[in-house]
Structures are given as structure tokens and as C-alpha cells.
Amino acid sequence: MIPFELTILGTSSALPTSKRYPTAHVLNVCERFFLIDCGEGTQIQLRKYSVKFSRINHIFISHLHGDHYFGLIGLLSTFSLLGRQNDLHIFSHSELPEILKLQLEYLQNDIMFKIIWHPLNFKRKMVILDDEKVTVTSFPLKHRVSCCGFLFTEKTGPKNIIKEKITEYKILVRDIQFIKAGSDFIDESGKVIPNEVLTIPQKAPRKYAFVTDTSYLPKLKEILEGVNLLYHEATYDKRFSKRAKETFHSTAEQAATLAQSCHAGQLLIGHFSARYKDVSILIDEARSVFPSSVVAEEGMVIKIG
Ligand SMILES: [Zn+2]
Ligand SMILES: [Zn+2]
């Protein structure tokens, strides 16, 4: 099976703790690694959990709070020291290049690779990357500053034709590509053979959604419908729902309510406030609404779908 799996590098909100790093996830799609947020210490975590730096060509930064991007300049410097030459695509707020400009200027002579900046749109849902393996969609969240979530949808590729049917219906080579693309077939006698008879049913594409730093947004259920794994921040438990609202964050109960309404396969909660030494109150709260909830932990690897 083609890899589609997530590694958790950081699970803390604003303040890192001695056990938790700030937010960073790595999604492996077919041995390509997408880095999602890059909190302080991300490169140390990448080393610790043996993610190959050279396979990271795309970085997605949800917003410009330090716990989501302070690890980026260190990572770029390390890429340079490792002699990286591949282009690096960074999807972020349009002002991030300006913020890093001075630091990058001082590294400039050493950086042998090209950084291609892709500004995010915080007003509407956008497809920001679409290739033969994956589609990445950004969508606006509701936070103190402009913030985006990301939906990664696997491409399933063309259908597979059932070999015996080629002989049975005397299908010519030139027709095979059309059948794989979904066309019906007309045999010698003029009879229409439905595509479903000739091909193996495709599995639904696997989907991973990253929803960080946001007030509870019930309307996201449309974008997130049927997602296999939903990562949703759960900075607080419901006793602090007033504080969650004031700081544009969510409670574990709200994360679970959204997971339930979008029919997620599994909910992963993270971005925990430093006040929780033990997060069992958060996971218990989430599971009381949505039983298939799990706690994000540093180093955890989750196979999606
Ligand atoms: Zn945060
Ligand atoms: Zn934030």
C-alpha cells in the first residue's frame, strides 16, 4: 500500500514544555514529506524521528504566531549546511519572506537552493498544490491573526482494468486508456459494456486535515466531510470555554463535535495549553462526544485510511 502517514513532531501550544515541542507535523505521501508548521525545535524532532530532510520540498505555515514558524530559519540554515540544491516551496502568509529577509540575506551566500514562496489566501478556500499524487487545499480559520487550515487529499490515479475482460470483450489496446479513465466500452456487436463491469472499483481517496489555532467553526464540516484523519487543536477543556473563545482557540469538546459532524474516521487532538501536565481530561472530554479520538504525542506515527 502506498504510504499516507503522519508523524507528530510537536503538540504544544504557545509555550513549549520540557516534554512537548510546539506544533509541527510531517505527512508522508508516497515517500514525499510535507512539513506542516515548523515550531521551534522542528529540525531536532525531524532528526530524532528519522525523517529525511532531503525529501521535504514543501512546507506549509498556518499562521505567523511563533509557535508555528520559529523553527523555520534554523531548518533553512541546516538545509543550506547540508548542501541542499532542490527548490523549496513554502506556503505561508505573504509577509513571512519579509520577516525572514534580513536573516536570509546573511545566509544568502551559503544558500544554494531556491525558495519559492506561495502566499496563502485567508479569505476563501483555495487549491494550493495539485500534482499526480496529492491535492492540497487551504481554508480560512478564525484566529487572532490570519490563519489557514490544510486538507491533503490523495490522488487515486486511473482505474485498473480486469485482465480477463480484455479477452472476453476483445478490447483493443487503444481503448484501454479510455476505460481506465472511466468510459464504457462498445463491443463488436454494438452492445454497451458498463465501465463498472470492466474495472476494479477504486478505493476512496485518503484525506488528512490539519486544523490548528481556531475558534470553534461548525461550518468547516462541509470542507472536512469524510476526512479519514482530522487533526484539530484542543488547547483547553470545556471548563475554560470562555478563555478559549477570548483567545480564539477551541476546547476538546468542540474539536470532537466537529469530528462527529464531518463524519471523520478518527480525531487527533493537540496544541495543548502548557497548564496540562496530564492531558487525560482533554481526551476523556473528546471521547465522550467522539469515541475515535486520540491524543497527539511527539514521535507518534499514524497510518491514514
Ligand atoms: Zn499556536
Ligand atoms: Zn496562534
Side-chain angles (χ1 to χ4, degrees):
M1 186 125 172
I2 294 166
F4 196 72
E5 65 185 30
L6 186 72
T7 303
I8 307 298
L9 303 177
T11 64
S12 185
S13 65
L15 295 176
T17 71
S18 60
K19 299 223 170 57
R20 292 188 212 125
Y21 280 71
T23 304
H25 290 187
V26 178
L27 182 69
N28 173 354
V29 181
C30 205
E31 297 306 325
R32 289 161 67 207
F33 294 87
F34 296 93
L35 178 61
I36 313 161
D37 277 349
C38 188
E40 190 182 342
T42 294
Q43 60 169 323
I44 297 166
Q45 295 293 78
L46 288 168
R47 280 254 187 268
K48 189 167 174 186
Y49 300 115
S50 307
V51 178
K52 289 198 181 80
F53 283 44
S54 59
R55 295 267 172 88
I56 297 173
N57 294 322
H58 301 86
I59 300 177
F60 302 84
I61 302 291
S62 61
H63 68 301
L64 297 185
H65 278 155
D67 54 324
H68 297 262
Y69 82 98
F70 278 174
L72 188 57
I73 192 70
L75 182 62
L76 296 179
S77 171
T78 297
F79 278 159
S80 153
L81 292 170
L82 292 172
R84 180 191 177 98
Q85 296 199 334
N86 290 350
D87 291 353
L88 179 68
H89 295 265
I90 303 179
F91 299 78
S92 70
H93 192 291
S94 59
E95 285 176 11
L96 185 56
E98 186 63 26
I99 293 171
L100 299 183
K101 195 173 160 206
L102 195 56
Q103 286 176 309
L104 286 171
E105 267 171 24
Y106 276 85
L107 288 174
Q108 202 67 61
N109 293 337
D110 301 325
I111 290 191
M112 302 300 287
F113 59 94
K114 208 160 116 192
I115 300 175
I116 299 156
W117 296 96
H118 301 266
L120 291 172
N121 186 309
F122 297 99
K123 297 264 185 288
R124 64 189 175 98
K125 184 176 83 167
M126 296 269 290
V127 171
I128 55 173
L129 177 71
D130 187 52
D131 65 19
E132 71 283 2
K133 299 277 183 244
V134 68
T135 302
V136 186
T137 308
S138 68
F139 50 91
L141 298 175
K142 190 177 171 194
H143 194 40
R144 266 189 303 127
V145 297
S146 301
C147 186
C148 269
F150 303 106
L151 175 67
F152 297 80
T153 307
E154 176 191 37
K155 289 266 179 76
T156 48
K159 291 178 151 187
N160 281 323
I161 196 158
I162 302 165
K163 281 203 182 99
E164 297 74 43
K165 302 288 178 189
I166 297 176
T167 347
E168 186 181 340
Y169 293 105
K170 300 195 179 71
I171 299 170
L172 299 173
V173 176
R174 62 160 195 253
D175 291 319
I176 289 178
Q177 59 170 313
F178 298 109
I179 295 169
K180 283 184 166 186
S183 300
D184 293 338
F185 175 68
I186 298 175
D187 73 4
E188 289 173 327
S189 65
K191 190 177 159 204
V192 175
I193 316 296
N195 187 273
E196 294 68 38
V197 173
L198 305 170
T199 54
I200 298 161
Q202 276 179 309
K203 284 180 119 185
R206 292 172 289 181
K207 295 182 191 179
Y208 167 60
F210 176 84
V211 179
T212 195
D213 290 42
T214 186
S215 298
Y216 176 48
L217 267 185
K219 67 177 181 188
L220 289 182
K221 71 175 186 187
E222 281 147 36
I223 298 170
L224 302 174
E225 177 58 38
V227 70
N228 298 77
L229 179 66
L230 169 64
Y231 167 77
H232 197 292
E233 71 127 293
T235 309
Y236 300 106
D237 69 85
K238 63 184 176 188
R239 292 172 306 168
F240 297 98
S241 52
K242 189 164 167 272
R243 172 137 186 87
K245 201 170 178 191
E246 284 162 3
T247 55
F248 294 87
H249 284 297
S250 304
T251 65
E253 185 180 62
Q254 290 169 333
T257 306
L258 184 60
Q260 190 181 47
S261 65
C262 75
H263 309 103
Q266 204 173 23
L267 169 69
L268 176 69
I269 56 168
H271 198 267
F272 307 121
S273 161
R275 77 184 65 224
Y276 299 103
K277 293 215 167 21
D278 173 359
V279 295
S280 51
I281 188 169
L282 295 165
I283 192 62
D284 290 347
E285 183 175 306
R287 282 182 183 148
S288 70
V289 177
F290 188 74
S292 301
S293 300
V294 288
V295 171
E297 283 171 20
E298 276 74 2
M300 179 188 245
V301 177
I302 303 178
K303 289 197 190 323
I304 299 169

